[in-house]
Amino acid sequence: MKKPKWVVQKEQDRKASERETVWLFGLHAVRDALLNPAREKLRLVVTLNAQTKLADAIEAAGIEAEIVDPRKFSAPLDPGSVHQGAALEAKPLDWGRLEDVCIGPDAPRVMMLDRVTDPHNVGAILRSAEVLGASAVIGTRHHSAPETGALAKAASGALERQPYLRVRNLADAIRDLQAMGYLVLGLDGEASQTIEDAVEGKRDRPVALVLGAEGPGLREKTKETVDALVRIDAAGGFGSLNVSNAAAIALYASRAVR
């Protein structure tokens, strides 16, 4: 009996995921990954200087470092990567299921990203999410920034601590959160109500904030699926915000306690 296409695709995705590795680089990102017991570490390439700076983390991780000449750094990184003499090959983190990560105490907050592909923006969003206490950042498996060294470096360690899930279908994930009691708000500069208006009297509820890519914004399907479209309450006229800045402001505006 021939397997349905969706079953075949799921098996292919699983096999691809098992083979996938990521090269993390930079002293901060590598240190945090080495100290993360949930991170499966495969290969560490460092200069002698970087080894000295990371000595405690290398010992804690129990991994043998490959010492290389700074002029012949052998890790397969993009030429422009600022690696600071340290690179770690590792498996992507597995944060588990949406329903497990997004259930939390005291009205959790979640960020959802609709086609936000720039790793520097996603890294900055992860930093803001960690600082402001979001339960998770959720993107899609396709058309979103995968876990990469550039993203990890931009996240400045937050990637190791802040759940970052990538789901197959964003609209389905929105509906799943709604079924869990979430108020799901999509950010749109043309919306009639502000974030504060939308959460007034509902701050004790879990809230998910959906942000689109700079320029295109939210897809129509996303706009149709969220509970309401909202905008950031700005003082006077202004241009569009960088998506990572908008994410931080939106998360702060929606917080459970004012």
Side-chain angles (χ1 to χ4, degrees), residues 53-106:
K53 293 178 178 178
L54 295 171
D56 57 332
I58 294 171
E59 182 179 2
I63 189 172
E64 185 176 348
E66 299 176 27
I67 312 300
V68 297
D69 188 314
R71 296 163 296 182
K72 299 177 182 178
F73 199 75
S74 57
L77 306 177
D78 291 336
S81 300
V82 183
H83 53 72
Q84 299 172 296
L88 174 69
E89 184 183 17
K91 286 286 200 179
L93 289 167
D94 181 5
W95 289 103
R97 302 180 305 168
L98 179 79
E99 54 267 36
D100 295 332
V101 174
C102 295
I103 290 179
D106 306 323

Side-chain angles (χ1 to χ4, degrees), residues 22-27 29-31 34 41-52 54 58 63-77 82-90:
V22 57
W23 277 95
L24 308 174
F25 58 85
L27 291 171
V30 170
R31 172 182 291 279
L34 287 171
K41 309 151 191 80
L42 303 175
R43 182 185 173 199
L44 177 64
V45 179
V46 292
T47 62
L48 188 60
N49 184 44
Q51 182 197 36
T52 301
L54 295 171
I58 294 171
I63 189 172
E64 185 176 348
E66 299 176 27
I67 312 300
V68 297
D69 188 314
R71 296 163 296 182
K72 299 177 182 178
F73 199 75
S74 57
L77 306 177
V82 183
H83 53 72
Q84 299 172 296
L88 174 69
E89 184 183 17

Side-chain angles (χ1 to χ4, degrees), residues 3-258:
K3 294 180 181 179
K5 287 184 178 180
W6 70 269
V7 173
V8 174
Q9 184 62 53
K10 189 173 183 179
E11 290 177 350
Q12 290 175 343
D13 289 346
R14 178 180 56 78
K15 290 177 181 178
S17 177
E18 289 172 354
R19 293 192 300 267
E20 185 181 0
T21 66
V22 57
W23 277 95
L24 308 174
F25 58 85
L27 291 171
H28 197 162
V30 170
R31 172 182 291 279
D32 285 325
L34 287 171
L35 294 175
N36 182 2
R39 174 73 78 176
E40 185 178 347
K41 309 151 191 80
L42 303 175
R43 182 185 173 199
L44 177 64
V45 179
V46 292
T47 62
L48 188 60
N49 184 44
Q51 182 197 36
T52 301
K53 293 178 178 178
L54 295 171
D56 57 332
I58 294 171
E59 182 179 2
I63 189 172
E64 185 176 348
E66 299 176 27
I67 312 300
V68 297
D69 188 314
R71 296 163 296 182
K72 299 177 182 178
F73 199 75
S74 57
L77 306 177
D78 291 336
S81 300
V82 183
H83 53 72
Q84 299 172 296
L88 174 69
E89 184 183 17
K91 286 286 200 179
L93 289 167
D94 181 5
W95 289 103
R97 302 180 305 168
L98 179 79
E99 54 267 36
D100 295 332
V101 174
C102 295
I103 290 179
D106 306 323
R109 297 298 188 256
V110 167
M111 306 296 299
M112 306 186 82
L113 307 179
D114 188 6
R115 298 185 302 179
V116 179
T117 59
D118 183 83
H120 301 94
N121 278 332
V122 175
I125 290 169
L126 287 169
R127 292 177 70 179
S128 297
E130 181 183 28
V131 169
L132 295 170
S135 294
V137 176
I138 301 167
T140 53
R141 291 182 192 171
H142 305 290
H143 310 298
S144 72
E147 187 175 326
T148 63
L151 189 153
K153 200 166 192 302
S156 193
L159 179 63
E160 303 300 322
R161 301 179 293 271
Q162 177 63 49
Y164 178 44
L165 282 69
R166 296 171 66 210
V167 297
R168 184 183 298 277
N169 185 288
L170 193 67
D172 287 347
I174 290 172
R175 284 188 282 265
D176 288 342
L177 289 180
Q178 290 167 332
M180 292 162 57
Y182 270 79
L183 174 66
V184 183
L185 306 175
L187 264 71
D188 186 325
E190 303 300 318
S192 59
Q193 65 176 334
T194 65
I195 298 168
E196 291 85 353
D197 292 336
V199 299
E200 188 62 36
K202 303 173 185 175
R203 291 182 181 272
D204 59 339
R205 286 184 60 182
V207 175
L209 298 160
V210 192
L211 295 96
E214 294 171 37
L218 299 176
R219 289 175 292 176
E220 285 303 316
K221 181 66 173 178
T222 304
K223 291 181 180 180
E224 293 167 4
T225 310
V226 299
D227 293 308
L229 295 174
V230 296
R231 58 179 169 80
I232 291 172
D233 188 13
F238 72 108
S240 61
L241 283 170
N242 171 285
V243 66
S244 61
N245 291 333
I249 294 170
L251 190 55
Y252 185 77
S254 75
R255 64 199 187 282
V257 180
R258 299 196 68 176

